[in-house]
Amino acid sequence: LDNVRIERVPVGANIDDIYVHTEDQWTTQINISAGSSSGYRKWGFSVEESNFLGYGKTIALDYSDDVERSKYEALYFDPQFLNTRWNLETSYQSASDGWRQTTDFLRPFYSLDTKWAYGVSMDSGASTRRFYGKGGRVVAEIDNDHRSGIGFMARAWGERYNKRKLGILFSLDNLIYPNTTRIIFPEATTDKNIKKNLNPIDKES
């Protein structure tokens, strides 16, 4: 909303009518970008609607293309999932070298009087990491899969404008390399900065 004005009109003893005058903002955004760096071109296009069908939900579609990858992405955000205080945001990316999916589901401290907040966040996907040699050419590639998750819970207490908060957070993170590194040009095995990263170790925390 934009240019909000509230008007009070007395209509009787201890009785008022309240008029709220508003104007709608334009909620659809379209973005186009393009550029060039070191002889490589990149461009992108996206469209986002932040008040889908007048329900306050956000949907977005995005496409981008650069030297690393081309990528499509779809996003949905609902600040009042199923008419509750829960927020839901989820997105999915389909790329030329893999995919990625993220989901956030949380109930925040939505007011000064809210005592509890909790939620979960998940992120998973697969992609390809590229190593560049002289002249900017790709000399090696390695695939990686990642999975991560976070869960939290927090409690607030104290006076309304002087809150204290304490919480606990659990996180899980996995990064694995399912395939051996693909050597495209032999110089990848002689460049010290590249060679030391050609055989990474799977990580779990």
Side-chain angles (χ1 to χ4, degrees), residues 114-130:
T114 303
K115 294 182 179 181
W116 289 96
Y118 21 75
V120 294
S121 177
M122 294 170 286
D123 187 340
S124 59
S127 62
T128 299
R129 181 183 178 186
R130 295 173 176 85

Side-chain angles (χ1 to χ4, degrees), residues 20-103:
V20 180
H21 307 272
T22 68
E23 294 180 9
D24 288 342
Q25 288 184 337
W26 189 256
T27 57
T28 302
Q29 296 186 24
I30 298 176
N31 298 301
I32 301 175
S33 63
S36 177
S37 177
S38 300
Y40 294 100
R41 297 180 180 178
K42 57 182 179 180
W43 73 281
F45 173 81
S46 67
V47 56
E48 178 182 306
E49 168 56 50
S50 59
N51 189 23
F52 184 61
L53 299 179
Y55 289 103
K57 322 301 182 185
T58 297
I59 61 171
L61 298 172
D62 178 88
Y63 174 78
S64 62
D65 183 55
D66 58 29
V67 65
E68 288 283 342
R69 61 184 57 85
S70 57
K71 178 180 66 178
Y72 296 90
E73 180 178 4
L75 177 142
Y76 174 77
F77 172 63
D78 188 343
Q80 292 183 314
F81 183 64
L82 297 179
N83 202 31
T84 67
R85 294 292 185 175
W86 284 88
N87 299 170
L88 171 66
E89 181 172 346
T90 183
S91 69
Y92 181 79
Q93 298 177 3
S94 177
S96 55
D97 64 342
W99 61 278
R100 183 183 182 189
Q101 182 173 8
T102 64
T103 300

